[in-house]
Amino acid sequence: MDPSMGLERRTPVTPSSSSRYHRRRSSGSRDERYRSDVHTEAVQAALAKHKERKMAVPMPSKRRSLVVQTSMDAYTPPGEEPNDGGGGVISSSREGSISMEHWISRAIHGTSSTTTTTSSTASSSSSSTRSGGSGAAAGKLADVLAQHVQNHSAPPDVTGYTNNTASTTTTEGIQVERAPGAGTATQRQTPKYGNAELMETGDGVPVSSRVSAKIQQLVNTLKRPKRPPLREFFVDDFEELLEVQQPDPNQPKAEGAQMVAMRGEQLGVVTNWPPSLEAALQRWGTISPKAPCITTMDTNGKPIYVLTYGKLWSRSVKVAYNLLHKLGTKQEPLVRPGDRVALVYPNNDPAAFMTAFYGCLLAEVVPVPIEVPLTRKDAGSQQIGFLLGSCGVTVALTSDACHKGLPKSPTGEIPQFKGWPKVLWFVAESKHLSKPPRDWFPHIKDANQDTAYIEYKTCKDGSVLGVTVMRIAMLTHCQALTQSCSYTEAETIVNVLDFKRDVGLWHAMQTSVMNMMHVISIPYALMKVNPLSWIQKVCQYKAKVACVKSRDMHWALVAHRDQRDINLSTLRMLVVADGSNPWSISSCDAFLNVFQSKGLKSEVICPCASSPEALTVAIRRYTTPPGRGVLSMQDLSHGVIRVDSEEKLSVLTLQDVGSVMPGALMCAVRPEGVPQLCKADEIGELCVSTAATGTSYYGLTGMTKNTFEVFPTSNIGDPISEFPFIRTGLLGFIGPAGLIFVAGGGGVVGGRRHNADDIVATALAVEPMKFVYRGRIAVFSITVLHEERIVVVAEQRPDSTEEDSFQWMSRVLQAIDGIHQVGVYCLALVPSNTLPKTPLGGIHLSETKQLFLEGALHPCNVLMCPHTCVTNLPKPRQKQPEIGPASVMVGNLVSGKRIAQASGRDLGQIEDNDQARKFLFLSEVLQWRAQTTPDHVLYTLLNSRGTAAGSLTCLQLHKRAEKIAGMLGERGHLQDGDHVALVYPPGVDLIVAFYGCLYAGCVPITVRPPHPQNIATTLPTVKMIVEVSRSVCVMTTQLICKLLRSKEASAAVDVRTWPPVLDTDDLPKKKPPLLYKPSNPDTLAYLDFSVSTTGMLAGVKMSHTATSAFCRSIKLQCELYPSREVAICLDPYCGLGFVLWCLCSVYSGHQSILIPPSELEVNPSLWLSAVSQYKVRDTFCSYSVMELCTKSLGLQTDALKSRGLDLSRVRTCVVVSEERPRTALTQSFSKLFKDLGLHPRAVSTSFGCRVNLAICLQGTSGPDPTTVYVDMRALRHDRVRLVERGSPHSLPLMESGKILPGVRIIIANPETKGPMGESHLGEIWVHSGHNASGYFTVYGDEALQSDHFSSRLSFGDTQTVWARTGYLGFLRRTELTDASGERHDALYVVGALEEAMELRGMRYHPIDIETSVIRTHKSITECAVFTWTNLLVVVVELDGSEQEALDLVPLVTNVVLEEHYLIVGVVVVVDIGVIPINSRGEKQRMHLRDGFLADQLDPIYVAYNM
């Protein structure tokens, strides 16, 4: 490898620079200490670039209750040992790394101004990538020491959201705070938070509504081109190919020669080295029993206990004896040699742990050291439980104190922890153990191939593996460390590391015993109280060696106050356990800088690299001068080593971790694919071949082979050695002079590797740092849409305001983008102290990721950037120039596809003895029935108790209708053809009033009465219908009459402009002189007004002919006769609901049992009880009724059954709707009530719309309704492709019932009006005798009228006049036959044309996106989507605490990307009931959109995705 690589040797920093360091540190504000000019300049330069682009990030809006911050008691102590979650890149578990704040650029190293580098005290993180580990949250000094100064309980400042708040979102975009003197101060900006006053958007356009302004801002921001342009390629109509990232031809490539494997020095076995560790223990325990082995400290730093080698030996023997002979029975011992046992010891009791560890070795039992489980559901303890289970652990050794501290059940038992096997807790303390007999001695062998112990390792996904280490490997490793570190007998070593695993276990528990050294153990609790404790112990005991992490050096710097008595001249080695973290260099430099004046020699600092699999990978000898290299981070992300040029911002300074271990061979191989040797200038995974490593993952042969049995090959494919190598999990390279450099782990984003620590470092360099805790930042990646996406989660300080945090977040995004050229998918801030912790207090990375993905992290701020990050979406579909309708038709014929058309039975050919047919008008049918069957009951109305509240026989209805007609003539002075509004609650009065109007020759319009509790919103609709329908009078009950003129009403509408209101409660006695007899059946019978799903109020005209044809069609389809009973639970104001409630009984003579849906709110079982009680065969309901029954009666089916509820007689239960059938709801309803005898085939749906109130209705005799599964992706291209149930992207669609007699249907292209083939999605057109005859409008829009009601095909059958339903659907010929023996044609409705959203050239139906969203989180009860300026807006109703609101933002964004390939622009979280729903239970998405844009929703949270 080329030595000119710029890895120069560093001279020790001179004392002059250290005095400058002190001068800087003492000069004032606490932030100053963390500033590094170079870093800050790099980040500011990156931010300044963004500023030129005029980036305006709209700030999310939050409800006040969410703004109040958490209290200060959540304050985190200075750093914590971060995570244990193993790590790879992004998801590096090198987690909370606090990394250095500045990027050390070349300039620093080239010139003499070394001071800048060292002026940073930023600590850094982590032990070897895989072993996950550490780094840490160094809280700033002020946090640690100034707690008494700050008033922690100060209330949050909620007043800050007034006009004087400077905001981040202005026309200038993000303001960059320059270094002093480097530019102007930030200008005042337009306030953007709680006032909806005039503001400017990105283009400087004033907007009055807050919401529209933010959306406009978002749109402007998104107009900027994304960096990677989407490549052109042909997209087949169907397959939406995800964009594959093509490698950039200009990206750096490795050019060096193939690397040569590097061999360490010979392992020189010294003659008096013991043959095994147990032999060493026996030797020291017998020849120097008084020699100190380990000294433990209390939290005041006082030594509480010194364990001597004599005591360690005798106690270990005692433990061994008791393990083998005192557990279980003589015949059936519980533990035999070779069995695994758990060691559960706290961090402050190394002596007890050591005794147990060596006791196990002497008994030839395999110890598995693990963390103490604190609660039943500790972060990660479940995975530890799986490890114990797979190792077959049945016994857990622990200490007295620890045993007392474990959680207990009321009976004093230790509960079984989550995921753990059942274990026997055994207190292995001398006073509880029996003495071994005089003649019993442990069998001490030379080290062999048996397993010595199992060390646990947490992977980045949170799973826990056990690495097995053989006795010979353990001994060889101790020998290699002894040789590398020149350990000698009776030396003193200070250990701050976790002694249960990794570097702490190897130096302080194993190698120390081999060499009879004295270990001073510093517990984590003492470090929290006194970060200088380890330095003081080094002085006090004149220690030769100390084992620390960079975090410990960092804390010492922060706490250091020129202590006089410190002298570090005795130190020969300062082992830095996380030296493999590239950012540890800043702590090392800063530490040297300060403590050089206290006798610390520069060559003493010895970084090492380790991993659970390969044990110690490399360690710097104190005799070798250090090397370092300044590398380009951009090139590193491509796996290439390039010395950085002067002007680059993004550089990484690496220090070496020493040379290869004695007796080992090391090489670097390609991380993916075949383990081929890297080139000399290429980053690869370091692999070692030596006797001193782990041998397997316990019980996992496949994974073991991939990691522990690797045979690296040369570029011609030959293995370079006959011995296997072990992957270390570290990415790095072997530099000049055989020095090893580790460049971090590496997760791949967009084809490049990014180290989590580097990203954390960039985030921490964004000034000001006062909004988040330094050591509490987690970086991981999640897979969304087939690529890894970076997520950054940080803990927010309790005292930071919304605006400050948001401004900081948006600048962090830009800094990471500028320096790493990678987008952050999601940046979230959580309240302080809420991220899950590892046993030593660091962030538990995998658990954090799990919470994020489950929506249980509860962030207080979220910023998602899918628009910037997601560059692999399919290309937008380009619409082809339209092929003419004729060619389509010919094409379909040639390919043998049918033209999609179908019809119900022909009315003309059906012979039935239908007496009502001879009458042209319903009013005549009623008079005929009143004469022939006067006492036949037509209607029974039920109240909420299920008893009849009213009924009408044919004669009663006729008589009361006559009186109404008389009243209309007398009091109302109405003429023929006048319009009358009927404002009645659902009941018999409505029916009477309707026929009264027909008798008087008036045209009735049924109107839903205003809701007394909600007059302000419901009354204006009533007023509007009355005005639009040109009603000359209103008929109603006395109660509603008063309501219309009440004080509340006058606040909502102008009550003086009501037409005359007649109350019909007391009717005149006399009947009219003469009933009106209409002459022309094509005149108007009634008007049907309804609000469509898109929120349009539309009235359609129904003639007498259409009304009679409609009733006859339904009579035939449902086989209705006077002897039948039909239960109707529908609103009687429009569409099929009105026809069934008011008209059908009069026409067919059957009895209708009327159940007002509002009564179900009082008694949910009312409808089903009535169906059972009256032995009804046919019943009709709405989706809202079905949903209410499913939700309210779900748990009561047994109780209903015991009350005798029986639904077995029902043959049709039809849901009346004007939308795509809700398959999931109908299926769950069928399943739920199957136990009560409901046949699943009975449940079906109908379909109607404005131009024809009922096109399909499942009758009694047709084949059962069918369900098909279609490919949702094809549907977006208006194609219908059937797929198997359960295949990816499949969408179930249920047939909308059978086509009614006399109805013809064709599927037409909504644009060209040409007929379409069966495999296409098109608009449903209908031709029928009961089509409405047109819209009733005040304005008389003729063009719309003729287009909707009298369209003709542009080709084919151009004579027939069709009405356009405005719904998209398709026809499918099924294998079933209908009553006439013909094959049955099924109609499938997909959705309303007006509601379909055109996005990226494709057609999306809101319901599909909503279904996906509702599935993502249990707290989402309802969802509605709409578009605004090409942005997809998703509104979700939250059933849960407001704290969960922000969890939903990433989940919603993820699921819509994954399932629909769409980027959500805005996520709005609202309370339950905000999404408006009409009487049929359909969502009013357009009303919702208007409410959102007018800022009327009072949302809990609005997130604007970047």
Side-chain angles (χ1 to χ4, degrees), residues 395-435:
V395 176
L397 274 55
T398 186
S399 67
D400 224 358
C402 183
H403 190 258
K404 289 194 174 86
L406 288 171
K408 307 267 195 311
S409 66
T411 57
E413 314 264 300
I414 293 173
Q416 196 165 343
F417 295 102
K418 192 174 167 194
W420 280 43
K422 193 149 181 49
V423 294
L424 169 75
W425 290 90
F426 178 56
V427 178
E429 267 187 40
S430 213
K431 58 182 184 216
H432 299 294
L433 304 178
S434 26
K435 254 184 141 159

Side-chain angles (χ1 to χ4, degrees), residues 28 90 135 173 207 218 400 402 501 640 759 765 952 1092 1286 1309 1360-1361 1377:
I90 272 256
V207 187
L218 184 53
D400 224 358
C402 183
R501 52 193 299 233
V640 179
I759 289 171
L952 288 173
S1092 72
N1309 181 323
T1360 312
V1361 175
T1377 51

